[in-house]
Amino acid sequence: MEKITAIRGFKDILPEDSDTFWKVETIARNIFKSFGFREIRVPIMEKTELFQRSIGETTDIVEKEMYTFSDRGNDNLTLRPEATASIIRAYIEHNMYAAEQITKLFTIGPMFRRERPQKGRFRQFNQIDVEMFGEDKPQSDAEVIFMLMYFLNSAGLNNLELEINSLGCGKCRPKFSPAVIDFLLKTGKGSLCPDCERRINTNPLRVFDCKVETCASIIANAPKIIDFLCPECEEHFSQVKSFLNDLSISFSINTRMVRGLDYYTKTAFEVKSTVLGAQNAVAGGGRYNGLVSFLGGPEVPGIGFAVGCERLIACLPDENSNAFKTDIFIAALGKQAQKKAFGLTNELRRAGVIAEMDYSDKSLKAQLKKADKLNSSFACIFGDKEIEEKQAVLRNMHTKEQQTIPVDELPKSLIKILKER
RNA sequence: GUGGGUGUAGCUCAAUUGGUCAGAGUGCCGGGUUGUGGCCCCGGAGGCUGAGGGUUCAAGUCCCUUCACUCACCCCA
C-alpha cells in the first residue's frame, strides 16, 4: 500500500513546534490587547473576486499563486493568500465603521499561496495579521510599527532591521510612475534583465526591488518616490519618522522598497531578519487609505501588517526545549492495583495533575523506566502489596527519596503534595 | 514556472573501480535472578536502499523516467 503524504508545501506542525506557536500567539494576543486590538476570526475562503479587487489583478499573487477553484455549486472561490482583504470585507459587511470611529483588529491563522517551497516559504503558512481602520494621523502609523517591533522583540527576535518608505498617495503617485517609466525606457532600455523589461509595462515600481546587479546600478540613479511626494504625504512621512524616533524605534529608509500589493499608500514598512536566508522578511505592512472604499465601504483610512509565524519561529534561537513533562507516574503492580490505579490516575488528571500509568502490568523496573522517559517528577508505587498494607510509596524521581502515603488518602494527599511543590 | 543539490532502518549517516553490502550510531522493546528509572553490559525487533523501467552474469552503486525533499531565481510573511 502506497502511503499518502501531505500536500507539497503543506506542513504538519508537530507537538514540539506546536508549543512554540502557542507561545508566540499568546504573546501576540496579550500585547495587541494592551494596544486596544481585538481578535476577529474570518473564513479561510472567500469569493475569488475579493482578492482580485483588493490585491490587484496584475500582482503575482493573483496572477499565479492563488488556490482558486469552483466548488460543486460552481461558485468561484479562493483560499485566502492574505488576511487584509477578508478583514476589510468583514469590516464593511458588519458596518463596523458605524459603531466606532477607530476599529483595531487582528487575526491569526493560515494563508495559502501556491509558490515553489523553499526555506521560510510554504504553500500553507500562518500569519499574525493586524489592521487599524479610521485613523490617518501619523501617530497611528508609528503606533502600529511600535507595536510590531515590541511584539517581535517580546517573542525573542533580536537581529531585526526595520525599513520604511513612503509610497505616496493617489495624488503623487500618478506623477511619479510616468517619470520612472520614462527613465527606464531612456536609461535602462536593453540593459535591464528580462524580468525588469517586462515590469516596465506591467508594474514599473517593482523594478526597484530587482536584485540583479546591473538593474540595481541603473536604478540607483532613478527618480525616487520620496522626491515626488505631495506636501501632505511628505508631511505625513516626516511626522511618522519623528514619532518613531520619539519612541526610540530605530529604522532605515529604503527608497527602493515598493511592496508587492497594489493597495498600499503612504507608509510602507518591512522587518527583515539577518538570519533567515533568502526569504528574510519576517513582517511587512503599510497604509492603504483607498482600499476600504474601493471594496465598497466608506472612505475610511487603514493601516496594517502581517507577521509570518513560521519565519518568526525560524529565527528564534532554538534553546527552548519543549520537552513534555509529567507530574506523576502511577506504577501499578498486580490485578487489583491496576484496577484501582486506573481510577486514581484519572482522578488526578481531573484535578489538573499531569498523570500517566501503564496498562500492561509490566515489571516495576519497566514502569519506572517509562516514568523516567515521560520526564515524570514523581512515581507512585502502587501494588497489591501496598493495598494490602494500606501504604503506597511516593518516589521523587530526581532525589530518589521515597515516602509512604496512606492508601485511603490517596488522591487527596498526592494532589496536595504535587500542587504545593 | 526555471535552475542546482539530495533521496539507504523512526532519526543521523556508512557501504573501495558495479561483485556476500544491506551496516553503524542513536532511538525503540526486552534481559542482567526475587518489586525500584537514568550509567554500564547483553539480546531483539525494524529497510522491496523514494517509485518505475533499462544496461549487465551481477546494481544503493551506471542510464532514462517519475515523485518527494532541499536551496536559489521569481515573488512574498
Side-chain angles (χ1 to χ4, degrees):
Chain A
M1 192 72 111
E2 200 172 326
K3 62 180 168 187
I4 299 172
T5 56
I7 304 168
R8 162 165 234 198
F10 288 61
K11 296 273 180 271
D12 298 309
I13 297 171
L14 301 175
E16 310 91 89
D17 304 319
S18 186
D19 285 347
T20 310
F21 272 81
W22 185 259
K23 276 181 201 160
V24 167
E25 288 168 7
T26 303
I27 292 168
R29 287 194 167 93
N30 288 337
I31 289 177
F32 297 168
K33 192 176 175 186
S34 61
F35 283 79
F37 286 80
R38 303 187 64 198
E39 183 164 4
I40 180 171
R41 301 200 186 193
V42 289
I44 220 176
M45 257 197 271
E46 299 278 354
K47 291 174 185 167
T48 303
E49 190 192 354
L50 174 67
F51 300 117
Q52 287 172 335
R53 270 166 69 183
S54 64
I55 297 170
E57 292 276 8
T58 62
T59 57
D60 277 29
I61 292 179
V62 171
E63 273 183 349
K64 50 191 195 196
E65 294 175 2
M66 296 202 303
Y67 279 96
T68 296
F69 61 96
S70 337
D71 73 358
R72 286 165 191 273
N74 274 327
D75 288 333
N76 205 249
L77 307 177
T78 293
L79 251 34
R80 64 179 183 194
E82 53 114 48
T84 304
S86 303
I87 292 183
I88 294 179
R89 195 224 77 233
Y91 174 76
I92 297 168
E93 191 166 333
H94 301 286
N95 301 312
M96 294 172 90
Y97 49 84
E100 51 193 350
Q101 187 73 40
I102 297 170
T103 308
K104 298 178 173 184
L105 300 169
F106 73 93
T107 199
I108 300 176
M111 308 297 154
F112 305 84
R113 261 124 96 157
R114 217 202 115 94
E115 300 177 89
R116 194 79 172 262
Q118 72 184 73
K119 189 181 177 71
R121 193 172 72 187
F122 313 100
R123 290 182 172 184
Q124 176 179 332
F125 59 99
N126 291 281
Q127 282 191 344
I128 296 173
D129 190 272
V130 169
E131 314 289 348
M132 168 158 58
F133 301 103
E135 180 61 271
D136 188 35
K137 292 283 191 301
Q139 284 96 323
S140 62
D141 302 46
E143 172 189 329
V144 162
I145 293 171
F146 176 74
M147 183 174 83
L148 169 61
M149 298 312 286
Y150 175 47
F151 160 63
L152 293 174
N153 289 327
S154 301
L157 298 203
N158 298 314
N159 298 316
L160 298 176
E161 290 167 2
L162 168 65
E163 295 183 345
I164 64 172
N165 193 20
S166 177
L167 304 180
C169 63
K171 279 179 223 148
C172 32
R173 204 136 35 140
K175 291 177 194 154
F176 173 65
S177 295
V180 174
I181 295 171
D182 191 51
F183 170 84
L184 291 175
L185 289 176
K186 277 183 187 150
T187 320
K189 194 76 177 169
S191 36
L192 289 170
C193 70
D195 280 322
C196 286
E197 292 285 352
R198 176 177 53 82
R199 289 186 185 119
I200 294 177
N201 299 316
T202 57
N203 199 345
L205 295 191
R206 291 229 60 90
V207 177
F208 282 81
D209 247 0
C210 189
K211 285 159 195 152
V212 177
E213 271 187 41
T214 50
C215 295
S217 62
I218 290 168
I219 274 124
N221 302 313
K224 292 178 175 137
I225 315 177
I226 47 173
D227 295 329
F228 282 74
L229 294 181
C230 66
E232 189 199 322
C233 286
E234 172 137 24
E235 172 64 13
H236 185 93
F237 191 45
S238 86
Q239 291 272 314
V240 171
K241 289 184 282 189
S242 161
F243 282 118
L244 284 175
N245 282 326
D246 290 349
L247 294 169
S248 302
I249 296 291
S250 55
F251 58 88
S252 61
I253 294 164
N254 180 354
T255 56
R256 292 167 314 148
M257 178 178 63
V258 291
R259 312 229 10 103
L261 290 69
D262 282 356
Y263 54 62
Y264 287 115
T265 59
K266 291 188 180 173
T267 313
F269 53 94
E270 213 165 278
V271 181
K272 292 178 179 170
S273 165
T274 49
V275 298
L276 263 182
Q279 308 302 320
N280 61 357
V282 178
R287 182 164 280 290
Y288 45 84
N289 282 354
L291 188 56
V292 175
S293 63
F294 186 65
L295 289 175
E299 279 291 343
V300 170
I303 183 169
F305 66 76
V307 180
C309 295
E310 285 80 0
R311 287 187 188 178
L312 189 165
I313 287 167
C315 33
L316 239 36
D318 43 276
E319 24 77 27
N320 312 322
S321 59
N322 294 323
F324 189 80
K325 287 197 170 52
T326 305
D327 292 326
I328 186 166
F329 185 91
I330 311 296
L333 300 158
K335 258 210 172 110
Q336 200 194 351
Q338 272 279 333
K339 197 168 161 59
K340 290 202 166 175
F342 185 60
L344 172 61
T345 303
N346 286 298
E347 197 63 34
L348 290 169
R349 289 167 172 165
R350 206 168 64 166
V353 171
I354 306 172
E356 228 6 292
M357 69 172 286
D358 184 275
Y359 299 144
S360 45
D361 198 23
K362 284 195 270 215
S363 68
L364 178 60
K365 179 185 176 138
Q367 295 202 49
L368 286 178
K369 216 170 195 171
K370 186 163 177 179
D372 190 54
K373 218 176 61 196
L374 290 171
N375 226 327
S376 190
S377 305
F378 291 89
C380 179
I381 299 168
F382 184 70
D384 289 347
K385 186 179 128 196
E386 280 71 21
I387 294 175
E388 193 87 12
E389 294 166 4
K390 300 190 158 116
Q391 294 284 323
V393 177
L394 180 65
R395 177 182 178 82
N396 183 317
M397 295 295 281
H398 304 301
T399 65
K400 293 184 169 182
E401 285 169 337
Q402 297 193 165
Q403 58 180 300
T404 56
I405 293 174
V407 168
D408 50 347
E409 291 173 16
L410 221 30
K412 234 181 197 170
S413 46
L414 281 183
I415 291 165
K416 189 158 178 258
I417 291 168
L418 289 166
K419 296 270 175 182
E420 279 174 0
R421 90 196 133 105

